[in-house]
Amino acid sequence: MSDKCSAGILGTGHYAPEKILTNGDLEKMVDTSDEWIRTRTGIETRHIAAQSENTSDLCIKAAKKALEASGLTPDDIDFVLVATASPDYVVPSTACLVQDKLGCTHAGAMDISAGCSGYIYATALASNLVKAGMYKHILIIGAEILSRLVNWHDRSTCILFGDGAGAAVIGEVPDGYGLLASDLGSDGSLGKILDIPASGVAEPVTHRAIDSGRIYIHMEGPEVFKAAVRHMDATTMKTLDKAGLKKEDINMFIAHQANNRIIQAIAKRLGLPQDKMWVNVNRFGNTSAASVGIALDEAVRAGKVHHGDIVVLTGFGAGLTWGCDVMRWM
Ligand code: UT7
């Protein structure tokens, strides 16, 4: 492998737990309605992990499909990157659990904490590690079981999230293909508009924290909404510019699937027709770090991504973080 090869996605996979929770089910749990959820978010159903499943289990199922699609085995993997906000444990990392369960015996492993932008961050970091010649094949996975971190009495958040995992294997591709440019941004000053207040050493989990609900996801929805549209639009334009491309060059646009209104607002700004986008928030809800990986795998398997296509992945999430990867598909 040359020192400065091109790097990109060799194969993708995804997994979503069997159980499906409908808006009708939620109507029986909190004061909400199918109509409110559909019109405000576009969500109709979401997948919910079984009690016996952990985030690492979702990772394994998605990773096996990505390995199969790339024609590689766990033995070929040099590094495992798991992007998640809902790890099995604080320590050890979910990536280490995946490395062990999958049998990636020669691989390093670590988690990435970048909220819903995690898959975008992982794609950029892994591609650049391969480009730099440090590793040959990197397994990246965005995976979440946010159903265990939401307050099922809080209608403003519990209707939004779903569980799942999206994976890809990243390796060397011919010159001119793979990742052309990326942009990873953050604004930590806005961290408190989307957080889990009692989840670390600053505010440990105590009986009081549990009783007050501070162990669950807290989100100031309208503030996050505005920031999401602003940053996903800006990071996409910036990354296209870095790649020497224009918005008209996009063949497939995959945005973080948080809310169909956000996705459509960005599409409008970019002048993108529906057939150049993949939207599945209606079926999966917001799966945070998994969303872009799940959507990309669905688009690929549906035959919507072709050799030579310009594929744009854009994300936004807790941190706040945002980012974009522009690639020419192999
Ligand atoms: O993935 C990370 C990034 N996350 C996002 O990008 C999410 C961004 N935010 C959003 O998607 C939207 O802000 C939400 C879907 C979370 C909320 O939609 P909204 O249109 O911004 O609604 P809102 O929060 O301004 O609430 C409007 C009303 C409120 O009632 P009042 O005060 O007007 O009487 C809420 O109490 O809707 C009420 N409401 C609900 N009503 C029925 C909030 N949640 C619900 C609900 N069912 N589930």
Side-chain angles (χ1 to χ4, degrees):
M1 192 170 55
S2 67
D3 255 11
K4 283 182 189 154
C5 67
S6 291
I9 292 178
L10 304 179
T12 59
H14 86 271
Y15 170 75
E18 228 168 88
K19 183 182 168 187
I20 289 175
L21 188 72
T22 67
N23 292 348
D25 296 330
L26 282 159
E27 282 177 345
K28 294 175 201 137
M29 296 161 67
V30 283
D31 179 15
T32 191
S33 68
D34 174 50
E35 209 252 326
W36 191 96
I37 301 172
R38 277 176 200 259
T39 51
R40 298 291 177 123
T41 71
I43 301 169
E44 294 163 20
T45 57
R46 66 290 285 146
H47 293 255
I48 303 292
Q51 273 311 312
S52 57
E53 283 179 312
N54 288 321
T55 301
S56 61
D57 300 312
L58 274 51
C59 287
I60 299 292
K61 289 187 170 151
K64 282 186 174 164
K65 291 183 187 157
L67 281 166
E68 195 188 330
S70 60
L72 296 169
T73 68
D75 237 18
D76 297 317
I77 298 299
D78 305 308
F79 204 71
V80 180
L81 276 177
V82 173
T84 185
S86 47
D88 286 20
Y89 307 99
V90 174
V91 174
S93 71
T94 301
C96 279
L97 302 175
V98 171
Q99 177 273 327
D100 176 43
K101 289 188 196 180
L102 206 55
C104 301
T105 39
H106 314 296
M110 65 181 246
D111 285 1
I112 295 178
S113 173
C116 305
S117 311
Y119 191 89
I120 308 288
Y121 270 58
T123 302
L125 296 174
S127 302
N128 282 296
L129 285 172
V130 172
K131 274 188 191 191
M134 187 166 176
Y135 294 118
K136 208 167 172 206
H137 298 125
I138 302 183
L139 173 64
I140 65 158
I141 312 164
E144 305 284 7
I145 299 189
L146 289 178
S147 63
R148 291 202 199 131
L149 299 180
V150 294
N151 182 345
W152 287 101
H153 299 292
D154 175 9
R155 69 175 183 174
S156 71
T157 52
C158 76
I159 54 114
L160 298 171
F161 298 102
D163 303 335
V169 177
I170 293 192
E172 185 173 355
V173 293
D175 266 358
Y177 290 89
L179 188 72
L180 304 177
S182 56
D183 172 55
L184 305 178
S186 69
D187 180 359
S189 74
L190 291 177
K192 290 205 179 307
I193 66 173
L194 174 47
D195 64 353
I196 302 179
S199 56
V201 295
E203 191 177 334
V205 176
T206 57
H207 289 293
R208 206 163 149 204
I210 294 169
D211 292 343
S212 63
R214 289 176 68 78
I215 59 165
Y216 300 117
I217 294 173
H218 147 262
M219 181 167 75
E220 290 166 33
E223 290 312 305
V224 175
F225 189 111
K226 280 181 260 170
V229 175
R230 193 170 67 245
H231 287 299
M232 281 203 275
D233 177 36
T235 189
T236 303
M237 291 311 295
K238 188 173 164 187
T239 317
L240 281 169
D241 192 48
K242 275 192 198 176
L245 296 168
K246 299 186 294 294
K247 54 190 181 183
E248 292 77 20
D249 297 318
I250 299 173
N251 299 109
M252 177 50 71
F253 180 74
I254 296 176
H256 168 48
Q257 308 283 307
N259 183 325
N260 195 37
R261 284 161 55 216
I262 296 177
I263 299 168
Q264 297 307 330
I266 296 159
K268 196 171 166 198
R269 286 179 179 216
L270 294 171
L272 279 173
Q274 294 299 311
D275 64 347
K276 289 190 174 182
M277 301 160 57
W278 191 264
V279 179
N280 63 13
V281 65
N282 54 320
R283 290 177 285 119
F284 289 90
N286 180 348
T287 57
S288 187
S291 92
V292 172
I294 294 174
L296 176 62
D297 183 51
E298 279 202 334
V300 169
R301 285 172 195 267
K304 299 286 181 193
V305 183
H306 310 102
H307 180 71
D309 277 359
I310 294 299
V311 177
V312 176
L313 312 180
T314 302
F316 174 86
L320 301 179
T321 59
W322 56 86
C324 177
D325 298 314
V326 172
M327 52 187 85
R328 191 183 304 278
W329 197 254
M330 253 304 293

